[in-house]
């Protein structure tokens, strides 16, 4: 028998495995068979010495597509983008030592934003572990605080069970990243593959169904409230509970705010949607939370970017807090009614319970409250100041991108000003249309995450909305996109600066611009020239510098579908993100423009000048809002 006959392809082995026939294989073949059995279709990664045994049988797989990225961080973010866009588990792979440590940022990012990914890393041979061997790093120890669970596998017989458990843990309960570190000798050794393995997780039993008593208590508070607000977080999207959310909103007619991670959970066009709360949230959303008497919190974690100064957040509100993760409940704000369970199951039970109360004539009356919140929404829309000299407003770019591309696309943002403008000015009508790094705030997220989203959703248009700073951290993945026919479109919002840092320097550091100038467009310099860079990578490169050219430039980008497109939108350098609540102060200090705060509940609800900025410094010249 030849070597080829002795080592059947993973596809053939998988076909035999479905008949539950044990097979003699290597640990590496067992790994590939396990991935195929978990119906993995894509792995993002880079080979190296310790993981190399796994790459040999991966070459023969007809089910698992491997995409060779240019940096392991790109592999991790691509797995995140794939998972966030599709709801399936994303998979990335790297070798030991620096390959594994380059995944750390993506793992931390996935951990903060509850993204289900499985990272598979090679490790030095088991006999060498702990000897400071070449390319050895204790990746299990390094990532323990930033993964939902992780494994070190030195016995090849454990590979099928560990892979099955990793996918189960990553995708159930509160989703998150799981690391599987496999020693090189375990990949090389002979073992027996059989599927399905016996999963043994005696301490892991996520609670998904809420307790009936807590549902009854929540129903009582909802019926008694006068100023309730649905405070909706990303957990609603992770739980696929958006349809149940819509039903609950239609039933109760309670106003809704959706956090940065929950954009699209309820369509922006819904009349009861008040926008995004938080540091750069809408006046209506921030004010409604502050003046509410009941927060119905679903899959949100009272993040500091939403609450501002925690002691002053929603001071008159009782709190119903529903979350799949019991550790989040009462962590930051004490819950009057804690509910542990999946947002989907919680909403199903709340709909039934509240509907019964309404039928019995005990439903709440929120008409006056709705009128107040709609007044704030009408009087203080999110807007912007038109820049002088015919320069391009970044907000206008995002408005037009939304209008011309539409809600069926996927929008993936980096981190900074462009992220906030994308959250504010793109219209989100469906879940999983908006991907971003919310909790960790990872610059460099957009391009590789958009790549992963495009692989997972090949029938959709995917736009990466990036800053000129973020883009330069991971733009090498454009090469991956070109070679693998992944036609993402990239809008670089180019203000030649680390824009959000520059905004803070403008507002709080007396315009001392320390190390924020990137020289990408200001003063006639283009280092690099993004259009030339696009051409070097084999992408289509476009540039837009005038408002009158925006629509045509976007249309040109939309017409190119045979390769990635990069559009360099050169925008006004000093555009700022408004509204804004400076860090560490009460949300009551929200400003709609520099030195300008809303005066709530006056007859005309006009914006009035303040005597001092929200950070308690003297105001500069006033700047109106559009």
């Amino acid at each position: 028998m030849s070597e080829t006959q002795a080592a059947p392809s993973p596809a053939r082995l998988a076909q035999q495995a479905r008949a539950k026939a044990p097979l003699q294989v290597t640990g590496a073949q067992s790994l590939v068979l396990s991935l195929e059995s978990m119906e993995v279709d894509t792995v993002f990664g880079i080979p190296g010495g310790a993981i190399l045994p796994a790459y040999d049988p991966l070459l023969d797989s007809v089910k698992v597509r491997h995409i060779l990225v240019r940096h392991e961080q790109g592999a991790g973010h691509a797995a995140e983008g794939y998972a966030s866009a599709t709801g399936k588990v994303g998979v990335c792979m790297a070798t030991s030592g620096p390959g594994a440590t380059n995944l750390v940022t993506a793992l931390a990012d996935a951990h903060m934003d509850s993204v289900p990914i499985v990272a598979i890393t090679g490790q030095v041979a088991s006999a060498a572990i702990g000897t400071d061997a070449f390319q050895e790093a204790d990746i299990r120890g390094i990532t323990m605080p930033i993964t939902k669970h992780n494994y070190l596998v030195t016995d090849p017989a454990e590979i099928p069970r560990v892979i099955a458990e990793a996918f189960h843990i990553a995708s159930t309960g509160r989703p998150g990243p799981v690391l599987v570190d496999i020693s090189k000798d375990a990949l090389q050794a002979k073992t027996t593959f059989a599927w399905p393995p016996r999963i043994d997780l005696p301490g892991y039993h996520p609670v998904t169904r809420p307790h009936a008593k807590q549902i009854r208590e929540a129903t009582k508070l909802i019926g008694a409230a006068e100023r309730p607000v649905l405070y909706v977080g990303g957990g609603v999207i992770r739980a696929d509970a958006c349809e149940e959310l819509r039903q609950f909103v239609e039933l109760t007619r309670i106003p809704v705010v959706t956090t940065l991670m929950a954009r699209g959970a309820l369509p922006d066009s819904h009349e009861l949607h008040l926008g995004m709360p938080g540091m750069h949230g809408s006046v209506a959303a921030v004010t409604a939370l502050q003046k509410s008497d009941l927060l119905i919190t679903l899959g949100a974690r009272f993040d500091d970017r939403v609450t501002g100064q925690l002691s002053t957040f929603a001071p008159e509100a009782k709190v119903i807090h529903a979350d799949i993760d019991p550790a989040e409940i009462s962590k930051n704000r004490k819950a009057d009614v804690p509910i542990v369970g999946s947002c989907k199951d919680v909403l199903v039970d709340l709909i039934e319970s509240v509907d019964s109360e309404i039928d019995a004539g005990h439903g709440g009356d929120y008409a006056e409250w709705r009128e107040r919140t709609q007044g704030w929404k009408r009087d203080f829309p999110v807007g912007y100041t038109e820049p002088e000299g015919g320069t391009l407003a970044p907000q206008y770019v995002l408005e037009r991108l939304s209008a011309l591309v539409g809600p069926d696309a996927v929008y993936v943002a980096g981190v900074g000003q462009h992220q906030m403008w994308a959250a504010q000015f793109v219209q989100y009508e469906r879940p999983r249309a908006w991907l971003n790094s919310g909790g960790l705030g990872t610059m460099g997220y957009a391009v590789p995450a958009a790549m992963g989203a495009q692989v997972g959703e090949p029938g959709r248009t995917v736009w990466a909305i990036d800053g000129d700073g973020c883009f330069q951290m991971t733009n090498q993945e454009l090469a991956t996109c070109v070679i693998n026919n992944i036609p993402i479109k990239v809008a670089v919002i180019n203000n030649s600066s680390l824009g959000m840092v520059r905004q803070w320097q403008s507002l709080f550091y007396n315009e001392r611009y320390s190390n924020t100038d990137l020289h990408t467009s200001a003063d006639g310099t283009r280092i690099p020239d993004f259009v030339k860079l696009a051409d070097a990578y084999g992408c289509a490169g476009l540039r837009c510098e005038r408002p009158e050219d925006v629509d045509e430039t976007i249309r040109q980008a939309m017409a190119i579908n045979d390769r990635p497109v990069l559009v360099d939108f050169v925008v006004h350098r000093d555009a700022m993100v408004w509204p804004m609540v400076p860090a560490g102060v009460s949300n009551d200090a929200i400003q709609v423009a520099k030195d300008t705060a809303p005066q709530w509940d006056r007859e005309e609800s006009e914006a009035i000048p303040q005597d001092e900025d929200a950070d308690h410094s003297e105001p500069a010249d006033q700047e109106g809002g559009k």
Side-chain angles (χ1 to χ4, degrees):
M1 183 179 286
S2 69
E3 276 190 27
T4 304
Q5 291 172 315
S9 73
R12 201 172 99 206
L13 291 173
Q15 189 174 18
Q16 296 172 24
R18 282 194 290 274
K20 303 189 186 316
L23 301 164
Q24 291 300 306
V25 295
T26 65
Q29 288 174 319
S30 181
L31 171 61
V32 174
L33 286 167
S34 299
L35 293 175
E36 290 185 339
S37 299
M38 293 304 305
E39 299 183 349
V40 172
D41 54 36
T42 307
V43 174
F44 301 92
I46 300 180
I51 196 66
L52 198 56
Y55 271 80
D56 186 62
L58 193 58
L59 184 66
D60 297 320
S61 177
V62 296
K63 293 184 177 180
V64 180
R65 175 191 187 189
H66 180 274
I67 293 177
L68 175 62
V69 299
R70 294 304 181 266
H71 191 288
E72 290 89 356
Q73 183 181 348
H77 292 322
E80 285 189 275
Y82 177 97
S84 296
T86 65
K88 299 191 290 186
V89 177
V91 184
C92 55
M93 189 179 289
T95 195
S96 63
T101 58
N102 280 344
L103 288 176
V104 168
T105 297
L107 290 170
D109 192 273
H111 189 249
M112 288 284 276
D113 287 347
S114 304
V115 181
I117 67 172
V118 171
I120 299 165
T121 53
Q123 184 53 275
V124 299
S126 55
I129 292 175
T131 68
D132 290 336
F134 177 67
Q135 289 194 334
E136 180 188 0
D138 179 11
I139 195 61
R140 189 180 185 210
I142 290 167
T143 61
M144 198 167 286
I146 55 167
T147 51
K148 188 176 178 184
H149 193 57
N150 60 24
Y151 295 87
L152 172 61
V153 181
T154 57
D155 180 354
E158 294 182 353
I159 289 173
R161 174 185 61 82
V162 168
I163 292 297
E165 288 180 4
F167 277 78
H168 177 69
I169 292 169
S171 59
T172 56
R174 179 179 181 174
V178 178
L179 175 86
V180 179
D181 195 32
I182 309 175
S183 66
K184 186 172 185 177
D185 55 318
L187 291 170
Q188 293 172 318
K190 289 290 185 178
T191 186
T192 300
F193 174 81
W195 195 271
R198 179 176 176 271
I199 293 178
D200 184 25
L201 296 169
Y204 182 69
H205 300 289
V207 175
T208 58
R209 290 305 306 271
H211 196 286
K213 179 179 180 295
Q214 302 306 93
I215 294 293
R216 289 196 299 271
E217 292 301 314
T219 301
K220 289 178 186 176
L221 286 186
I222 292 168
E226 295 179 353
R227 303 186 307 280
V229 175
L230 275 159
Y231 165 23
V232 175
V236 169
I237 293 176
R238 298 287 184 247
D240 288 323
C242 298
E243 176 57 27
E244 289 78 10
L245 173 65
R246 186 195 61 77
Q247 292 174 18
F248 187 70
V249 172
E250 297 295 337
L251 174 67
T252 62
R253 307 294 294 163
I254 292 173
V256 183
V257 303
T258 55
T259 67
L260 180 69
M261 295 304 299
R263 302 290 289 113
L266 187 75
D268 282 355
S269 58
H270 196 286
E271 60 177 328
L272 293 174
H273 188 252
L274 301 179
M276 180 177 72
M279 175 176 279
H280 294 295
S282 69
V283 171
V286 172
T287 308
L289 291 176
Q290 286 301 95
K291 296 186 178 298
S292 67
D293 65 358
L294 177 66
L295 299 182
I296 306 165
T297 308
L298 302 169
R301 56 192 180 88
F302 291 89
D303 177 74
D304 62 286
R305 282 300 195 257
V306 169
T307 66
Q309 188 179 49
L310 187 60
S311 61
T312 65
F313 177 67
E316 299 175 12
K318 291 185 177 179
V319 173
I320 299 166
H321 191 177
D323 203 288
I324 191 82
D325 185 356
E328 288 296 347
I329 295 176
S330 295
K331 183 178 80 174
N332 294 326
R333 172 69 176 260
K334 186 179 185 300
D336 297 278
V337 178
I339 306 176
V340 178
S342 162
C343 285
K344 193 179 192 76
D345 291 331
V346 169
L347 281 164
V348 166
D349 288 0
L350 276 177
I351 289 168
E352 182 180 352
S353 181
V354 172
D355 194 27
S356 296
E357 289 296 295
I358 292 172
D359 288 344
H362 302 143
D365 181 8
Y366 319 123
E368 184 179 340
W369 173 238
R370 282 196 299 272
E371 188 176 340
R372 284 181 71 189
T373 59
Q374 290 300 311
W376 297 324
K377 182 178 176 180
R378 179 182 63 250
D379 295 338
F380 297 105
V382 176
Y384 58 94
T385 302
E386 291 282 5
E388 298 176 356
T391 54
L392 186 55
Q395 301 95 328
Y396 178 71
V397 173
L398 275 305
E399 279 183 338
R400 297 310 301 156
L401 192 70
S402 176
L404 294 171
V405 176
D408 289 334
V410 178
Y411 300 89
V412 187
V415 170
Q417 287 181 314
H418 63 279
Q419 175 191 26
M420 295 298 104
W421 289 321
Q424 291 174 335
F425 293 100
V426 175
Q427 185 97 348
Y428 299 104
E429 296 294 310
R430 64 176 189 88
R432 304 191 185 279
W434 163 246
L435 279 55
N436 81 123
S437 170
L440 197 64
T442 304
M443 292 179 67
Y445 170 90
V447 169
M451 177 173 71
Q454 185 75 81
V455 170
E457 293 278 22
R460 293 190 188 274
T461 299
V462 178
W463 275 90
I465 299 165
D466 223 351
D468 46 313
C470 284
F471 177 67
Q472 292 187 79
M473 293 191 173
T474 51
N475 62 31
Q476 67 271 17
E477 299 308 335
L478 288 176
T480 310
C481 292
V482 170
I483 291 168
N484 291 278
N485 299 312
I486 305 169
I488 66 169
K489 303 181 193 302
V490 183
V492 178
I493 308 301
N494 183 1
N495 59 7
S496 199
S497 300
L498 298 172
M500 189 62 85
V501 183
R502 182 181 172 91
Q503 175 165 335
W504 281 53
Q505 288 172 336
S506 296
L507 295 174
F508 309 132
Y509 291 88
N510 299 316
E511 300 182 357
R512 288 166 53 84
Y513 299 120
S514 173
N515 292 282
T516 48
D517 189 348
L518 293 176
H519 300 280
T520 51
S521 64
D523 304 321
T525 60
R526 299 192 195 278
I527 306 173
D529 184 318
F530 290 136
V531 174
K532 290 181 179 178
L533 184 68
D535 182 61
Y537 274 127
C539 304
L542 305 171
R543 178 172 290 120
C544 179
E545 300 183 82
R546 304 186 307 166
E548 57 266 34
D549 296 333
V550 169
D551 283 18
E552 180 55 30
T553 303
I554 293 171
R555 289 191 182 99
Q556 286 182 43
M558 290 295 291
I560 300 170
N561 294 304
D562 60 343
R563 61 196 186 281
V565 183
L566 187 156
V567 185
D568 181 16
F569 288 104
V570 180
V571 299
H572 184 66
R573 192 173 200 187
D574 290 313
M576 294 194 188
V577 182
W578 299 107
M580 180 177 181
V581 180
V585 304
S586 169
N587 282 347
D588 289 327
I590 189 172
Q591 297 180 21
V592 293
K594 187 169 172 57
D595 316 321
T596 307
Q599 181 77 351
W600 296 296
D601 296 330
R602 287 168 65 104
E603 186 175 346
E604 297 178 359
S605 295
E606 73 271 26
I608 62 168
Q610 293 192 138
D611 292 331
E612 59 180 27
D613 282 348
D615 69 331
H616 310 300
S617 63
E618 291 297 320
D621 293 337
Q622 289 185 25
E623 180 180 316
K626 177 181 174 183

